[in-house]
Amino acid sequence: MSKMAREEGAATGPASFRGVDERYAGRNIATQCVHAGERAGESDYYGSCTPVHHSTTFMYDSMQALDDVFQRKRAGYVYSRFGTPTSTALERALATLEGADAALSCSSGMAACHLALLGAGVKAGDLVLGSSDIYGSTYQLIDTMFPRLGLRGLMADFTDLIALERIMQAESPRVVFFEAMTNPLIRVLDVPAIIKMAHRYGATVIVDNTFTTPLLLQPVALGADLVVQSVTKYLAGHGDVLAGAVFCRAADFDYLYTMLLQTGCSLGPQEAYMALRGLKTFPLRFTRQCDGAMEIARFLEAHPAVERVHFPGLASHPQHQLAGELLGGKRFGAMVAFELKQGDKQAAFRVLEALQIILPATTLGDVHSTMMYPPHSSHASLSREELARVGISPGLLRMSVGIEDPEDLKGDLAGALARV
Ligand SMILES: *Cc1c(COP(=O)(O)O)cnc(C)c1O
């Protein structure tokens, strides 16, 4: 429960209900992932884990109790689009990890991005300023979909702070949206500086923390107004569930919650259960993935078929020092992008088809390693010119490092790269 919620006398209200699990607030993230959100009900017996509550509707002993929940005077459940005990358990666990007053679980990461943008209070005429190499669907949402509704969308290079400030000064964006680690080129942004700058110009800041995860970065603590996660990726981690979350301050919860109800992008109980189940091993998986990624980046950098490796843990990465300061200096995420020498689509496809262990698949963050070709998947919505403008070359491959043995992964890469 946040200090803010307590001051507002909302200790039992819906925001704190979906907030930090105080029992584990000061603990290490490994402990939080195992315990937070679980066994938080009001019965006098508990299962060790929260069950899947499939019921779409909920009843109370008195009509007054139901009325209080409807009026948001007390926390509770009325209808599953409004939340279920299973999704609340997940929300409390996630809010604890991100250090946020409240979390709202969503049916996907894109639903979370959309909800955060709407929840930031955008209206026709407002400008949404987005970082130019964010996730492809988010790019399209800001750059193409919103403008159809009368919003203005502008994409810019957020690694250039001087140019960025000039844009903010000239355009007064209503919302600034970025990912701490960009996709697919794994650039690292100066998150605290960008948040401060955006606030100076009166913008609401949304940070997509999917690639960095709360283990490397907590944007809420750095001042971000809203944070989003594609829980589908590292947090759930097993490639079997689609889920997302928005993190907000207690004061902003009601507006976001109303948006959630109106958009209907709520997370189902089965998915909430699976995400919560996956979350328990997230720190184990993610540290292993980050360490494996470091090894693989070094291997690729030394490989004759590889022109260039994009990984912030390498000294050759343009934001290596910044990444160290921002992410704690030990780990740099588990995404590695690389460009084939004289690479084109055919060469990239030959590599993908020759892989024996790494799955040629369009996702990231799973226990299994995956590799994909950004120009035809995550960034398929971008035109040739847009791709060139954001620096995505035709021989670019992006790997999400899983928890397999790094030696086996390197062997698989060596075999596939021998084909080009
Ligand atoms: C995958 C992803 C999303 C979208 O999440 P879904 O769960 O696939 O809807 C948004 N942002 C980033 C950074 C992602 O990697």
Side-chain angles (χ1 to χ4, degrees):
M1 189 196 319
S2 73
K3 193 161 156 268
M4 209 157 153
R6 231 179 269 131
E7 279 162 3
E8 287 165 6
T12 59
S16 60
F17 187 49
R18 291 173 163 82
V20 171
D21 187 337
E22 276 187 292
R23 297 168 302 166
Y24 305 103
R27 305 292 181 181
N28 182 275
I29 193 168
T31 307
Q32 293 174 340
C33 281
V34 172
H35 293 292
E38 302 281 19
R39 303 174 298 281
E42 285 166 9
S43 62
D44 60 357
Y45 68 89
Y46 303 97
S48 61
C49 61
T50 305
V52 186
H53 284 264
H54 279 298
S55 186
T56 53
T57 196
F58 297 84
M59 286 146 285
Y60 293 80
D61 285 342
S62 74
M63 285 310 294
Q64 188 56 52
L66 179 62
D67 192 53
D68 287 347
V69 177
F70 263 124
Q71 302 304 319
R72 300 188 201 168
K73 287 183 191 152
R74 59 165 278 189
Y77 305 96
V78 291
Y79 182 62
S80 60
R81 179 158 40 82
F82 295 52
T84 65
T86 321
S87 62
T88 303
L90 175 66
E91 287 164 340
R92 296 191 75 187
L94 294 174
T96 306
L97 303 190
E98 291 279 357
D101 287 351
L104 297 100
S105 58
C106 302
S107 52
S108 71
M110 271 320 295
C113 290
H114 205 143
L115 178 64
L117 284 159
L118 293 178
V122 288
K123 55 187 183 333
D126 285 344
L127 178 76
V128 178
L129 176 61
S131 159
S132 55
D133 43 8
I134 51 173
Y135 189 69
S137 296
T138 320
Y139 186 107
Q140 213 186 7
L141 178 66
I142 296 172
D143 188 64
T144 309
M145 167 85 93
F146 276 176
R148 280 188 212 133
L149 305 175
L151 279 141
R152 292 179 300 138
L154 181 64
M155 311 311 281
D157 178 359
F158 278 36
T159 57
D160 184 346
L161 292 183
I162 293 167
L164 185 63
E165 176 138 31
R166 225 175 281 133
I167 293 172
M168 287 194 194
Q169 211 163 18
E171 302 283 346
S172 303
R174 176 71 188 75
V175 174
V176 168
F177 187 110
F178 64 96
E179 297 167 16
M181 212 176 252
T182 70
N183 185 21
L185 294 176
I186 332 293
R187 290 185 182 132
V188 179
L189 301 185
D190 190 341
V191 179
I194 296 169
I195 292 173
K196 279 199 201 94
M197 185 194 293
H199 283 164
R200 264 204 311 283
Y201 294 98
T204 297
V205 178
I206 306 174
V207 179
D208 181 336
N209 199 28
T210 301
F211 276 37
T212 24
T213 84
L215 210 139
L216 295 182
L217 189 75
Q218 289 184 312
V220 169
L222 298 175
D225 300 295
L226 295 167
V227 173
V228 297
Q229 273 285 350
S230 169
V231 176
T232 311
K233 313 293 169 52
Y234 294 105
L235 299 177
H238 291 71
D240 54 8
V241 60
L242 199 64
V246 180
F247 302 88
C248 68
R249 296 198 185 92
D252 298 324
F253 177 82
D254 275 355
Y255 189 76
L256 273 147
Y257 186 55
T258 303
M259 285 284 155
L260 174 81
L261 301 188
Q262 289 171 5
T263 54
C265 65
S266 318
L267 185 67
Q270 184 69 36
E271 285 74 12
Y273 177 86
M274 291 172 78
L276 192 58
R277 164 82 180 249
L279 189 67
K280 298 195 187 304
T281 55
F282 155 66
L284 278 177
R285 287 184 280 104
F286 190 61
T287 49
R288 162 89 176 190
Q289 286 168 288
C290 291
D291 295 345
M294 188 74 232
E295 270 193 57
I296 282 160
R298 288 200 181 113
F299 166 81
L300 288 170
E301 196 170 44
H303 197 284
V306 174
E307 175 73 34
R308 187 163 167 212
V309 181
H310 303 266
F311 182 69
L314 295 175
S316 60
H317 189 279
Q319 292 104 28
H320 176 60
Q321 198 192 334
L322 169 67
E325 289 162 11
L326 187 70
L327 310 174
K330 270 202 290 210
R331 298 198 169 86
F332 298 87
M335 300 299 299
V336 182
F338 60 100
E339 291 168 31
L340 298 171
K341 233 167 230 171
Q342 285 134 30
D344 56 10
K345 187 173 173 178
Q346 281 68 37
F349 280 19
R350 273 203 302 281
V351 170
L352 287 162
E353 283 172 359
L355 294 168
Q356 303 286 309
I357 297 171
I358 301 162
L359 305 179
T362 303
T363 188
L364 63 108
D366 292 334
V367 285
H368 40 259
S369 295
T370 55
M371 192 185 291
M372 53 87 93
Y373 183 57
H376 88 144
S377 46
S378 66
H379 290 64
S381 56
L382 305 197
S383 68
R384 227 173 219 293
E385 295 70 40
E386 284 173 318
L387 285 173
R389 186 151 47 79
V390 299
I392 298 173
S393 85
L396 183 80
L397 286 160
R398 190 200 74 184
M399 179 174 175
S400 165
V401 179
I403 63 170
E404 302 96 331
D405 176 47
E407 290 306 318
D408 281 343
L409 294 177
K410 284 189 269 181
D412 198 24
L413 286 167
L417 288 169
R419 302 279 301 275
V420 294

